[in-house]
Amino acid sequence: MVTVVTKLVHYLHLSRRSGQYTMNHDNSKKTPDGASFDRSGSQDSLDELSLDDYFKEIENIHETRRNNHEEREALVVKEPDEGELEEEWLKEAGLSNLFAESTGDSQESMVFLSTLTRTQKAAVEKRVETVTQTLRKKNKHHQIPDVRDIFRLQSDPKEKVCDENEPSAVRTTENRSGTQDETKGSKFSVGTNEQKTPPQDMQFSETDLNLEIPFAEQAANTKDSSVGKMCKSGGGDTLPLNFRLPKDKTGTTKIGDLAPQDMKKVCSLALIELTALYDVLGTEFKQQKAAKIKTKDSGLFGVPLSVLLEQDQKKVPGTKIPLIFQKLISQIEEATLETEGLLRIPGVATRVKTLCQELEAKFYEGTFNWENVKQHDAASLLKFFIRELPQPLLTVEYLKAFQDVQNLPTKKQQLQALNLLVILLPEANRDTLKVLLEFLQRVIDHRDKNKMTLNNVAMVMAPNLFTFHGFGSKTIEQSEFVMAAGTANVMRFMIQHQKLLWTIPKFLVNQVRKQNAESQKKEKKDKAMKKLLKKMAYDREKHEKQDKVPNDADVPQGVIRVQAPHLSKVSMAIQLTEELKASDIVARFLSQKSGNVQTLKKEEVFLYEIGGNIGERCLDDDTYMKDLYQLNPNAEWVIKPKQS
């Protein structure tokens, strides 16, 4: 019997002969001004993106599964009860104590909520209202906080939101100005109503990614300024794909640069920001939830990433990428990346199956003969590894959100959403995805020889990341074509702009700074009260001030003291100037070579900002120190190796 996939490939060829694709009936719709409706999910015409590769890859995947004859327990994605999804969302956002049977001390949550922007608050309010209604229906008797008590916002009838069909929670909260008083005078402006445009000296072009203002705020402001036009027309985004990040004088923050406690706060904020962005743009954001299944607790293929890394770290302490994944990539690269059809041409199915079995038995013993592995077989094994993960590399929770990126109106908003989604991935998934995308870019770099362009690679790899069999819904041919073009475009975006995706937006870092500063204020107030009760407030506060800045007496104004315990020169006073960068300070220390202290190279050590309003942050070389010092004057400055 001819499979659906074969029919699709046949249909595709017929469509190409006729010179057109009939992928999405929505494309024939017209906007009110008569322009053709152009969703940026199909960012190039399908004549440019050959769908042949996509459906051939689907057919290869089906053939591999037929040859293996292995029945594995399917991952069931549960349909959550009403309100359950929102409760899970609030839990992940760090706000579950608002609904616990015993709320206890919710000061931390109050500090967290006080730093949110209007659109972020709208996203929280919407979920709070849903959970509140659900709990009332279930006759829960414990105290449920009213949303108005949580945010204490006042209506501002002057502002308007573009879409009249938006939920009332989003419509009302976006138009409130309660956050203005909270952020006035604060150096941590995070995109509230009073900051709708970048600072005067910060100009952004259409292809610059503005990381100063929250993405959802940008989308809401664009909707307001266009009086609803963008919401109804699908954006009409025809910008080129050369997005870039403007230079930030206080330094660009990459994933991995922050201390774990700050990164946890970033993830909570990223979830709220992503949800707010989807809300503003009218795209439904729902996390999926997988039922627990029994998975393999050893081996290579079909093993959870966490289990694999636990195994591998016994062999190679500190490794963050599965060893088999690393080895398969290196095996492909050793045979040259110039091989024509690399990744597209599958290995021999029977041979790949045999290699898989041998690897399971011999890989960790070190007795597997890699000389028997042909390059196309290694590529097939690499894709097989990704597909056989018990949960998708992009996770059950966020796979649909990754897929739905194609539905956002503009390419810039799609890139913003992908940035937030990458931040939300578990560390193991994120690290593995990063290595995969870097490898795919290296393949593309040899496109003149291997004929694997960005479009080709995206088409081949999309089915392996996005068609997770756990969701298992039978779709009609029309939906298959929508899925093909959409996910291939998302895949292409991730490859092309991967360097941007691992950047933590400045507005999230600033919100973390504000949380830390507010928490410190509360801690100081609590300590002061205890000291007052003990009748020792004056002496203790005076003593603390002396302890807090022990070097004030010997460090002049405009000078910072930098510590470098791992280098020959362990401490140095540095005069701040307008042009002084982090790289200059590191170079100054490295030029001092004496004694028996370990000598490190420039690429091995970094300057860190520690304390004040941040836990710990590794600085990039182009950070202007005077600007950063003004942002966090109470920080300590330390040069040390970066933790792997």
Side-chain angles (χ1 to χ4, degrees):
M1 187 176 75
V2 182
T3 65
V4 172
V5 175
T6 305
K7 287 180 180 178
L8 286 167
V9 174
H10 178 65
Y11 179 70
L12 177 65
H13 285 298
L14 290 176
S15 300
R16 291 190 66 184
R17 280 197 211 104
S18 64
Q20 63 181 357
Y21 292 98
T22 56
M23 179 197 121
N24 191 342
H25 293 306
D26 287 343
N27 288 339
S28 64
K29 293 181 181 178
K30 303 289 182 180
T31 59
D33 59 5
S36 61
F37 185 83
D38 180 22
R39 294 303 291 254
S40 64
S42 300
Q43 293 159 0
D44 290 337
S45 72
L46 294 177
D47 291 323
E48 295 177 75
L49 288 176
S50 171
L51 285 170
D52 298 65
D53 292 340
Y54 182 96
F55 289 109
K56 285 177 181 175
E57 183 67 20
I58 289 282
E59 181 62 22
N60 291 333
I61 291 172
H62 284 298
E63 184 180 352
T64 300
R65 287 179 181 157
R66 286 195 299 268
N67 288 333
N68 283 341
H69 298 296
E70 289 184 6
E71 292 293 331
R72 53 177 285 189
E73 186 178 357
L75 184 68
V76 178
V77 179
K78 296 195 301 184
E79 287 293 333
D81 296 334
E82 185 180 11
E84 182 183 349
L85 203 60
E86 284 73 13
E87 285 191 61
E88 192 66 30
W89 186 92
L90 287 164
K91 180 180 179 181
E92 190 170 343
L95 299 172
S96 60
N97 62 343
L98 295 178
F99 299 95
E101 292 289 342
S102 176
T103 56
D105 184 8
S106 61
Q107 286 299 312
E108 189 174 343
S109 291
M110 292 302 104
V111 169
F112 181 88
L113 290 169
S114 72
T115 66
L116 300 185
T117 66
R118 58 170 186 157
T119 48
Q120 290 173 351
K121 287 184 177 182
V124 173
E125 180 178 326
K126 183 178 177 182
R127 275 78 200 166
V128 167
E129 287 184 343
T130 302
V131 175
T132 300
Q133 293 299 323
T134 303
L135 292 177
R136 284 173 180 162
K137 286 179 183 179
K138 293 180 177 179
N139 295 318
K140 297 283 187 179
H141 297 297
H142 65 270
Q143 183 65 34
I144 303 170
D146 190 287
V147 202
R148 292 166 295 184
D149 294 332
I150 294 175
F151 292 114
R152 297 182 181 88
L153 298 174
Q154 295 178 349
S155 297
D156 183 357
K158 296 180 182 180
E159 295 190 47
K160 295 180 180 179
V161 178
C162 114
D163 193 341
E164 295 179 356
N165 296 321
E166 276 190 320
S168 60
V170 179
R171 192 160 60 247
T172 56
T173 311
E174 279 188 10
N175 301 327
R176 293 172 180 169
S177 56
T179 54
Q180 290 183 353
D181 292 339
E182 296 167 0
T183 55
K184 278 183 181 178
S186 170
K187 62 181 72 176
F188 310 115
S189 185
V190 292
T192 55
N193 292 348
E194 61 185 335
Q195 184 192 2
K196 289 195 175 185
T197 56
Q200 292 293 326
D201 59 344
M202 182 70 77
Q203 299 298 323
F204 293 95
S205 74
E206 289 300 315
T207 53
D208 285 343
L209 278 188
N210 180 354
L211 304 185
E212 302 275 338
I213 300 176
F215 301 149
E217 291 292 317
Q218 294 180 42
N221 293 338
T222 301
K223 290 172 69 175
D224 290 340
S225 63
S226 62
V227 198
K229 185 176 180 181
M230 186 191 77
C231 300
K232 296 174 182 177
S233 67
D237 186 4
T238 57
L239 295 176
L241 293 176
N242 56 335
F243 292 112
R244 67 184 187 89
L245 294 178
K247 286 288 184 182
D248 178 5
K249 282 199 161 188
T250 59
T252 301
T253 306
K254 296 287 186 181
I255 292 174
D257 287 350
L258 294 178
Q261 64 269 28
D262 284 337
M263 191 61 198
K264 184 178 179 181
K265 294 173 184 175
V266 165
C267 289
S268 295
L269 288 164
L271 174 61
I272 296 173
E273 177 64 19
L274 178 69
T275 309
L277 179 63
Y278 275 52
D279 283 352
V280 169
L281 296 175
T283 298
E284 186 179 41
F285 174 77
K286 281 192 175 181
Q287 294 170 272
Q288 305 293 316
K289 189 173 183 179
K292 291 185 178 180
I293 61 170
K294 185 177 181 181
T295 58
K296 294 168 64 176
D297 55 7
S298 64
L300 300 175
F301 301 96
V303 180
L305 278 177
S306 57
V307 174
L308 270 174
L309 289 175
E310 188 177 337
Q311 290 177 171
D312 293 348
Q313 286 165 2
K314 294 176 182 176
K315 298 280 185 180
V316 182
T319 188
K320 292 187 173 183
I321 312 298
L323 296 178
I324 182 60
F325 191 77
Q326 296 181 52
K327 181 59 182 175
L328 287 171
I329 288 177
S330 65
Q331 184 71 15
I332 295 168
E333 294 192 297
E334 284 173 11
T336 179
L337 294 178
E338 297 182 354
T339 305
E340 188 168 338
L342 184 60
L343 296 179
R344 185 177 67 237
I345 300 173
V348 177
T350 54
R351 193 164 60 222
V352 170
K353 181 181 179 181
T354 300
L355 288 170
C356 180
Q357 293 170 343
E358 290 182 9
L359 279 166
E360 290 280 10
K362 300 178 180 179
F363 179 73
Y364 284 115
E365 294 178 1
T367 58
F368 181 78
N369 185 2
W370 285 97
E371 293 180 1
N372 293 335
V373 182
K374 300 182 183 297
Q375 191 180 38
H376 289 300
D377 294 342
S380 290
L381 284 167
L382 181 70
K383 292 186 287 186
F384 180 73
F385 172 86
I386 296 169
R387 293 194 309 271
E388 287 301 297
L389 288 171
Q391 295 200 22
L393 186 60
L394 302 180
T395 73
V396 168
E397 290 79 5
Y398 298 115
L399 182 59
K400 189 176 184 303
F402 271 99
Q403 294 170 345
D404 288 345
V405 164
Q406 62 185 291
N407 298 326
L408 302 184
T410 71
K411 295 170 188 159
K412 184 176 286 189
Q413 288 160 351
Q414 292 175 2
L415 195 54
Q416 291 168 340
L418 284 172
N419 182 197
L420 296 170
L421 281 165
V422 166
I423 291 172
L424 285 170
L425 290 175
E427 186 176 358
N429 299 62
R430 195 168 55 215
D431 292 340
T432 304
L433 177 64
K434 187 172 190 292
V435 169
L436 174 64
L437 295 180
E438 289 170 347
F439 163 68
L440 296 178
Q441 184 57 58
R442 293 195 295 272
V443 171
I444 294 165
D445 290 342
H446 293 80
R447 57 189 173 276
D448 290 342
K449 297 285 187 181
N450 61 30
K451 311 301 181 188
M452 294 300 292
T453 65
L454 174 62
N455 291 344
N456 296 140
V457 171
M459 280 292 175
V460 169
M461 293 305 299
N464 293 283
L465 265 73
F466 288 99
T467 57
F468 181 65
H469 63 274
F471 291 115
S473 58
K474 297 287 184 181
T475 53
I476 59 174
E477 293 181 3
Q478 185 73 19
S479 298
E480 288 282 359
F481 277 103
V482 175
M483 180 80 166
T487 57
N489 276 313
V490 174
M491 187 78 230
R492 180 176 55 173
F493 239 40
M494 287 198 295
I495 298 170
Q496 187 175 17
H497 297 293
Q498 56 185 278
K499 290 183 179 178
L500 306 184
L501 299 183
W502 265 259
T503 301
I504 300 176
K506 184 176 181 179
F507 68 83
L508 291 182
V509 178
N510 280 351
Q511 284 182 280
V512 170
R513 289 185 186 278
K514 187 176 181 184
Q515 285 182 37
N516 291 339
E518 292 296 323
S519 295
Q520 288 169 10
K521 284 181 184 177
K522 290 184 180 297
E523 288 176 8
K524 287 178 182 177
K525 287 180 181 178
D526 292 341
K527 287 180 180 178
M529 181 60 68
K530 290 178 182 178
K531 291 168 188 172
L532 186 63
L533 293 173
K534 293 178 180 179
K535 297 181 180 181
M536 297 173 62
Y538 176 80
D539 291 337
R540 284 178 179 265
E541 285 176 9
K542 183 178 179 181
H543 179 66
E544 281 185 356
K545 287 179 181 177
Q546 291 173 345
D547 287 346
K548 191 170 185 179
V549 284
N551 293 323
D552 279 358
D554 57 353
V555 178
Q557 185 72 22
V559 175
I560 60 172
R561 181 161 295 280
V562 181
Q563 306 294 332
H566 296 84
L567 300 177
S568 302
K569 183 79 172 177
V570 297
S571 179
M572 191 184 297
I574 304 288
Q575 175 70 53
L576 294 175
T577 65
E578 295 292 338
E579 299 302 317
L580 182 71
K581 296 182 180 180
S583 58
D584 300 327
I585 294 178
V586 174
R588 199 173 298 183
F589 270 85
L590 292 175
S591 66
Q592 306 286 326
K593 296 182 179 178
S594 62
N596 299 320
V597 180
Q598 180 184 0
T599 302
L600 297 169
K601 298 178 182 178
K602 183 179 183 301
E603 59 272 15
E604 296 175 334
V605 292
F606 297 86
L607 180 60
Y608 279 78
E609 167 195 10
I610 300 175
N613 55 47
I614 202 77
E616 181 174 294
R617 176 172 171 252
C618 179
L619 305 183
D620 73 62
D621 288 345
D622 290 331
T623 302
Y624 286 83
M625 295 306 299
K626 189 171 184 179
D627 293 84
L628 181 58
Y629 174 77
Q630 291 171 350
L631 182 66
N632 192 5
N634 294 321
E636 296 179 359
W637 312 97
V638 179
I639 295 176
K640 62 178 183 175
K642 190 171 185 178
Q643 297 296 322
S644 59

